[in-house]
């Protein structure tokens, strides 16, 4: 039997797909229902207003959105924070500027790696040539 401590409350529980104990799963479902009910009545709300009105953390609301449980398609003011900088976004995990910066950093890292590989091959060849001359 696989046992673990619940990351939300610390209780010991049998591991499941949600990774939470049953009382926390029920509490999470209740929080979800509260969010959905509030959004049905207040379509123009944003994430901060939703959090303040329901008492549910922005982190949990963001989790509901990312899991696809709360749709923001019909909520024009609903946005959630970028995982890197916190800028409010409507899709994905990162804002455009963070995504651009990540691509640039990855491109630079790839160029540096390629440059290191080419210098390594050049120096390896030089050492081999010297070793061959020593054998003569």
């Amino acid at each position: 039997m696989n046992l673990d401590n619940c990351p939300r409350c610390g209780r010991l529980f049998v591991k499941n797909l949600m990774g939470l104990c049953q009382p926390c799963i029920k509490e999470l479902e209740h929080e979800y229902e509260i969010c959905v009910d509030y959004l049905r009545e207040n379509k123009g709300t944003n994430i901060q207003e939703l959090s303040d009105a329901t008492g549910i953390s922005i982190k949990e609301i963001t989790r509901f959105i990312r899991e696809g449980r709360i749709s923001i398609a019909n909520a024009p003011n609903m946005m959630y924070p970028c995982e890197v900088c916190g800028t409010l976004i409507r899709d994905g995990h990162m804002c455009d500027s963070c995504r651009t910066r990540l691509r640039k950093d990855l491109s630079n890292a790839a160029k540096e790696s390629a440059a290191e590989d080419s210098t390594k091959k050049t120096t390896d060849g030089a050492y081999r040539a010297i070793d061959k001359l020593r054998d003569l």
Side-chain angles (χ1 to χ4, degrees), residues 23-56:
C24 285
I25 291 172
K26 288 180 183 176
E27 182 182 333
L28 193 64
E29 290 302 314
H30 180 69
E31 289 176 356
Y32 166 72
E33 290 297 326
I34 291 171
C35 286
V36 170
D37 291 342
Y38 187 83
L39 285 171
R40 281 187 190 128
E41 296 172 10
N42 305 288
K43 292 192 185 287
T45 191
N46 63 35
I47 197 164
Q48 185 64 51
E49 292 170 353
L50 178 60
S51 177
D52 292 343
T54 59
I56 298 166

Side-chain angles (χ1 to χ4, degrees), residues 65-106:
I65 293 170
R66 287 206 174 111
E67 289 174 351
R69 298 178 74 190
I70 292 179
S71 173
I72 61 173
N74 295 328
N77 297 332
M78 185 63 70
M79 294 191 248
Y80 54 91
C82 166
E83 288 183 0
V84 179
C85 69
T87 302
L88 294 177
I89 56 176
R90 287 192 56 86
D91 64 341
H93 294 275
M94 286 186 277
C95 63
D96 290 336
S97 63
C98 290
R99 192 175 298 118
T100 301
R101 189 171 359 123
L102 180 62
R103 281 190 192 121
K104 181 181 171 187
D105 291 347
L106 286 172

Side-chain angles (χ1 to χ4, degrees), residues 12-29:
L12 191 64
F13 74 103
V14 177
K15 284 186 180 181
N16 56 36
L17 293 175
M18 294 278 294
L20 300 171
C21 66
Q22 287 301 316
C24 285
I25 291 172
K26 288 180 183 176
E27 182 182 333
L28 193 64
E29 290 302 314

